[in-house]
């Protein structure tokens, strides 16, 4: 049998989704273009995985609000055309009718000219909005050896999450063969190896190119289909007995640890997007951005290094358990458990706690931001309180999720705070950060000094004590 390394592979990245569940972060951009982890865009993870897998002929199918995504791809993902490598952004073109993409399968069907032009043996199809590391070469290798026409990458998930995923049920006699593929069932049997888990589709597929083309033509002619890769194309191959499954736990990534090697997160909602950021910032992160053996590539910002300096009245400028990108200036504010993107400014005596701030956000003197996601170019005025009072946040037009995460959209205006809001923010300025509490737990004489620093921070905002903040 021909070794898979000799197979010609074309990679297709599906990047046309609207991302409605991520509103307002997707109000002005496609979901794969949403900034992530301080320096990246979501699509960088899919593209980095493909490039690290040595697949260098990649097309990205785009549709909704694709300008920033197209710009990011053109400015960041430049390959050697002399060697025949490329990452090409391809919009919906209405090649086979007057409709836009009707689903993920229809997106590829309307772009079949890309497959015909590249003439690959294998087509790798991946989503553009998941956070993970994966070597697709290993998946292609299994696909070729198995003789399957289609292979689905699967990640293990708890049984109670079956109604959130496409569920893969394997053949009892052949664990690499799919017996049934069901979209978001109410329940599903557990795995033989672990009855508490099931196999969920990752939205990543490997196909024999000719078999995929045939399946797409069949799907295009049907009237009882949503033209979806997971909902229609994969069941087509399952019904023919030609669908295999690749268990993500078998994927071996250089430089990975047992803690993060099988990490995969669908960041399709505000809560999952926020949780994925919190996964990054612990000393031993659940997902490690610092694995230099399998790097995540992105466009490098032309910005100076981050700076931490004292602010007014010698307020302390520092960040604890946080990720801070280039160009950030923390001038007398305290940042804790947060992710700050390029060129963020944090002013004197302010607090940023458990939050995600995107490019060029400015936090004014004495403002407090807690459990919030703030999109680009938002200016938070001095003394403002965000994430401390859900009703106050909603009254100002901010989105607040059921779990209590406050979200501000790009360029959103934050009104000047009134006296009650200033008192609310000031009452939180004296608090000792959790990391400092832990470090000084057994050193009361040091703790008193730390608490004095907290009083200095509050005083710099015009508050002598937390009691005064409450009374004022």
């Amino acid at each position: 049998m021909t070794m898979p390394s000799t197979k010609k592979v074309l990679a297709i990245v599906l990047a046309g989704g609207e991302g409605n569940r991520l509103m307002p972060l997707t109000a002005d951009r496609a979901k794969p273009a949403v900034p992530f982890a301080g320096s990246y865009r979501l699509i960088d993870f899919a593209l980095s995985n493909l490039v690290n897998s040595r697949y260098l002929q990649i097309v990205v199918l785009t549709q909704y609000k694709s300008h920033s995504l197209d710009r990011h791809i053109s400015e960041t993902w430049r390959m050697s055309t002399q060697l025949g490598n490329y990452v090409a952004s391809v919009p919906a073109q209405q090649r086979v009718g007057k409709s836009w993409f009707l689903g993920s399968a229809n997106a590829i069907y309307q772009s079949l000219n890309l497959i015909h032009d590249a003439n690959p043996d294998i087509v790798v199809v991946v989503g553009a909005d998941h956070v993970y590391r994966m070597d697709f070469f290993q998946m292609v290798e299994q696909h070729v050896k198995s003789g399957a026409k289609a292979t689905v990458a699967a990640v293990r998930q708890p049984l109670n999450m079956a109604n959130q995923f496409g569920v893969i049920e394997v053949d009892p006699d052949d664990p690499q063969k799919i017996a049934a593929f069901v979209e978001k069932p109410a329940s599903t049997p557990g795995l033989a190896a672990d009855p508490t888990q099931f196999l969920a589709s990752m939205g990543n597929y490997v196909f024999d190119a000719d078999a995929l083309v045939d399946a797409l033509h069949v799907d295009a002619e049907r009237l009882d289909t949503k033209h979806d890769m997971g909902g229609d194309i994969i069941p087509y191959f399952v019904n023919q007995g030609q669908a295999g499954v690749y268990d993500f736990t078998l994927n071996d990534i250089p430089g990975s640890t047992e803690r993060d090697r099988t990490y995969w997160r669908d960041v399709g909602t505000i809560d999952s997007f926020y949780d994925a950021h919190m996964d990054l910032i612990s000393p031993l992160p659940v997902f490690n951005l610092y694995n230099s053996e399998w790097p995540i590539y992105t466009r490098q910002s032309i910005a100076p290094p981050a700076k931490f300096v004292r602010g007014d009245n010698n307020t302390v400028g520092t960040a604890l358990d946080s990720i801070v990108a280039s160009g950030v200036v923390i001038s007398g504010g305290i940042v804790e458990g947060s992710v700050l993107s390029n060129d963020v400014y944090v002013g004197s005596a302010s607090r940023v706690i458990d939050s995600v701030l995107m490019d060029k956000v400015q936090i004014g003197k004495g403002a407090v931001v807690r459990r919030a996601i703030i999109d680009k170019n938002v200016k938070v005025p001095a003394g403002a309180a965000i994430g401390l009072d859900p009703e106050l946040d909603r009254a100002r037009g901010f989105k607040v999720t059921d779990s209590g995460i406050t979200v501000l959209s790009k360029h959103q205006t934050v009104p000047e705070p009134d006296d009650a809001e200033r008192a609310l923010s000031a009452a939180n300025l004296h608090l000792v950060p959790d990391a400092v509490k832990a470090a000084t737990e057994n050193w009361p004489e040091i703790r008193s000094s730390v608490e004095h620093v907290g009083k200095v921070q509050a005083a710099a905002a015009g508050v002598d004590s937390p009691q005064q903040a409450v009374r004022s």
Side-chain angles (χ1 to χ4, degrees), residues 24-312:
L25 303 181
T26 50
D28 195 42
R29 59 170 77 91
K31 181 180 174 183
V34 172
F36 185 81
S39 302
Y40 306 93
R41 304 276 186 147
L42 286 177
I43 195 171
D44 290 328
F45 292 84
L47 293 176
S48 295
N49 285 326
L50 290 168
V51 168
N52 287 330
S53 302
R54 301 178 297 283
Y55 297 140
L56 303 177
Q57 295 184 332
I58 305 169
V59 292
V60 181
L61 303 185
T62 67
Q63 183 164 232
Y64 297 103
K65 301 174 184 174
S66 62
H67 172 67
S68 62
L69 178 60
D70 292 334
R71 185 178 63 190
H72 177 72
I73 292 171
S74 66
E75 292 178 351
T76 306
W77 291 94
R78 297 179 179 177
M79 299 292 189
S80 172
T81 55
Q82 191 169 18
L83 299 178
N85 304 326
Y86 53 85
V87 177
S89 179
V90 182
Q93 301 177 74
Q94 297 187 345
R95 280 180 168 267
V96 293
K98 292 300 181 181
S99 66
W100 300 109
F101 295 154
L102 304 177
S104 53
N106 183 256
I108 301 177
Y109 175 73
Q110 291 200 36
S111 308
L112 280 178
N113 63 297
L114 302 172
I115 297 178
H116 295 320
D117 291 346
N119 193 29
D121 303 301
I122 299 291
V123 177
V124 176
V125 179
V126 305
D129 45 26
H130 300 145
V131 177
Y132 65 108
R133 280 188 174 90
M134 183 174 179
D135 183 358
F136 286 102
F137 180 87
Q138 296 173 34
M139 183 178 175
V140 171
E141 187 175 46
Q142 177 190 297
H143 171 83
V144 174
K145 289 181 177 178
S146 72
K149 298 297 184 182
T151 300
V152 183
V155 62
R156 299 187 182 194
Q157 296 288 336
L159 276 181
N160 61 4
M161 297 181 67
N163 61 354
Q164 301 178 35
F165 293 96
V167 173
I168 297 168
E169 298 176 6
V170 299
D171 187 328
D173 299 323
D174 184 357
Q176 289 189 358
K177 186 175 182 179
I178 300 177
F181 187 91
V182 187
E183 279 287 344
K184 301 179 180 180
S187 62
T188 188
L191 296 173
D194 186 348
T196 67
Q197 295 185 318
F198 71 97
L199 290 177
S201 171
M202 298 171 66
N204 297 334
Y205 314 101
V206 174
F207 299 95
D208 285 2
D210 54 353
L212 174 61
V213 171
D214 291 343
L216 291 172
H217 278 291
V218 171
D219 178 75
E221 293 171 2
R222 290 175 52 189
L223 300 178
D224 59 338
T225 173
K226 295 182 179 179
H227 307 292
D228 183 71
M229 292 300 295
D232 299 295
I233 300 301
I234 296 305
Y236 168 85
F237 284 103
V238 172
N239 292 337
Q240 293 187 338
Q242 296 177 335
V245 59
Y246 177 77
D247 190 338
F248 182 51
T249 59
L250 303 176
N251 205 250
D252 185 23
I253 295 295
S256 64
T257 66
E258 283 303 311
R259 183 169 171 81
D260 81 331
R261 63 181 295 270
T262 57
Y263 182 92
W264 177 85
R265 190 182 279 275
D266 180 351
V267 290
T269 66
I270 290 294
D271 285 340
S272 62
F273 181 82
Y274 177 87
D275 291 342
H277 278 89
M278 297 301 105
D279 288 342
L280 304 173
I281 58 178
S282 63
L284 293 175
V286 184
F287 183 72
N288 180 22
L289 288 173
Y290 302 90
N291 179 359
S292 59
E293 297 182 54
W294 195 271
I296 306 300
Y297 298 101
T298 191
R299 181 178 181 272
Q300 296 305 308
S301 172
I302 307 303
K307 184 169 69 168
F308 305 76
V309 294
R310 286 172 292 177
D312 297 344

